[in-house]
């Protein structure tokens, strides 16, 4: 992809349109979070994210869609005695509206913003993202900025990749990708289908995983 502002803006527009076309076709809360399989497999595919969440704190989901992941993580963590305060952004106004309805007590924690130029007003214990929210050439800078500006000291930046059985798309080996971008990975976890197909690859970084490149300025 060429790097002009116009190219970048149309890249995001295309992604947002495609997501709204497929997520907003009906009332199914799973589809509204991009999940086209059963609730049982959703639990299996998403609960693994909690491996990166050892204690209570604030949890920020970048690309929160209709808020289903936040709602589920709060509940699953609670069952393990871990209390999470949910926060999120999404670049789709319609999805953020749904998320506010799903999590009314936390409506003020949910906002419309593009991950690429989101300016966090504070930092969080856990920040969760997918790499595909920004073009490949910008991913190193994106993660570097999140680690510096959005993650609290002692907190974690959690990066996941999901497969799609329907389209045959495999989950990315996120740990290797982050390593190749110069980050020191603190830990990672996988969830599998019974036949070994990787559903989710979740990896986490800490403040000290930040690259030596120092692209975006001082740590908070
Ligand atoms: C696969 S869903 C993820 C839902 C949930 N966070 C999860 O992990 O299950 C991706 C969401 O990210 C949002 N998204 C994609 N690119 C984004 C960007 N650049 N900024 C903000 N949101 C973005 C989409 O609108 C969509 O709701």
């Amino acid at each position: 992809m060429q790097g002009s502002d116009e190219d970048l803006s149309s890249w995001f527009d295309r992604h947002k349109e495609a997501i709204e076309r497929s997520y907003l076709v009906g009332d199914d809360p799973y589809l509204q979070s991009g999940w086209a399989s059963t609730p049982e497999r959703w639990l299996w595919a998403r609960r693994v994210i909690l491996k990166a969440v050892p204690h209570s704190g604030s949890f920020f989901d970048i690309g929160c869609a209709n808020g289903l992941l936040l709602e589920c993580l709060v509940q699953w963590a609670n069952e393990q005695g871990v209390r999470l305060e949910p926060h999120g952004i999404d670049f789709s106004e319609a999805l953020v509206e749904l998320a506010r309805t799903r999590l009314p007590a936390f409506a003020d924690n949910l906002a419309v913003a593009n991950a690429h130029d989101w300016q966090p007003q504070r930092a969080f214990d856990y920040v969760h993202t997918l790499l595909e929210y920004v073009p490949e050439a910008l991913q190193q800078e994106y993660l570097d900025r999140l680690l510096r500006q959005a993650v609290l000291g002692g907190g974690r930046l959690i990066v996941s990749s999901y497969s799609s059985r329907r389209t045959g798309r495999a989950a990315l080996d996120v740990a290797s990708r982050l390593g190749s971008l110069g980050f020191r990975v603190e830990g990672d976890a996988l969830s599998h289908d019974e036949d070994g197909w990787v559903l989710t690859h979740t990896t986490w970084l800490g403040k000290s995983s930040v690259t030596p490149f120092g692209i975006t300025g001082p740590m908070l």
Side-chain angles (χ1 to χ4, degrees), residues 11-12 15-16 19-20 23 32-35 42 46 49 61-66 68-70 89-92 95 113-116 128 130 132-134 142 160 162:
W11 190 90
F12 288 118
H15 278 245
K16 185 177 151 193
I19 280 169
E20 290 189 330
Y23 286 29
Q32 290 171 352
S33 265
W35 181 253
W42 162 267
R46 294 296 190 272
I49 295 167
D61 189 26
I62 300 180
C64 65
N66 70 340
L68 182 66
L69 180 70
L70 282 170
I89 54 165
D90 201 286
F91 65 1
S92 162
L95 286 169
N114 186 332
H116 169 63
H128 179 242
L130 308 186
E132 67 224 34
Y133 296 161
V134 298
Y142 171 60
S160 295
Y162 307 136

